[in-house]
Amino acid sequence: MLLNPFYPFVFLKISSLKATIVFLSILLIKSNLLRFKGGLIGALFALLLISGIIASSTLALGSLVYAFSLRKKYNPDNNQMQDLETISV
C-alpha cells in the first residue's frame, strides 16, 4: 500500500473542518442560550409590570369603593339633629 504524500495536508484539512464545526456549534448553542435568557428576563419583567398594573388598579378601585361607602354613610340629607339641653346642677 502506497502512502499518500499529501496525507498531512488532508489530515489538517479534515481537522480544521472538525474544529470549525465544533466552534460553530458552540456559538449556536451560546446564541440559543442567550436568546432563551433574554426571553426569560423579558417575560419576568412583563409579568412584573402586569402585576403592578393589576395591583394599582385594585388599590384605586378599593379606594373608590371606600369613598363611596363613606359618602353614602354620612349623607347630609339623612342627618337628623338632636335637641340637646344643658344640665344645671
Side-chain angles (χ1 to χ4, degrees):
M1 185 167 167
L2 296 172
L3 290 175
N4 187 357
F6 297 111
Y7 181 73
F9 296 119
V10 173
F11 176 73
L12 288 176
K13 189 184 343 179
I14 292 173
S15 297
S16 66
L17 183 62
K18 286 181 183 179
T20 304
I21 289 172
V22 169
F23 182 67
L24 289 176
S25 298
I26 290 171
L27 288 178
L28 181 65
I29 291 170
K30 181 183 173 187
S31 171
N32 284 338
L33 287 177
L34 286 174
R35 278 188 4 193
F36 178 72
K37 183 179 75 169
L40 189 64
I41 291 172
L44 288 176
F45 187 69
L47 186 64
L48 180 71
L49 288 176
I50 290 172
S51 63
I53 289 171
I54 290 173
S56 63
S57 307
T58 305
L59 187 66
L61 184 66
S63 64
L64 284 175
V65 168
Y66 182 69
F68 282 127
S69 69
L70 283 180
R71 183 177 176 203
K72 191 175 185 181
K73 187 176 183 182
Y74 296 112
N75 194 357
D77 296 336
N78 290 338
N79 196 3
Q80 297 174 352
M81 294 292 294
Q82 295 178 355
D83 293 331
L84 299 176
E85 297 178 7
T86 59
I87 299 175
S88 57
V89 179

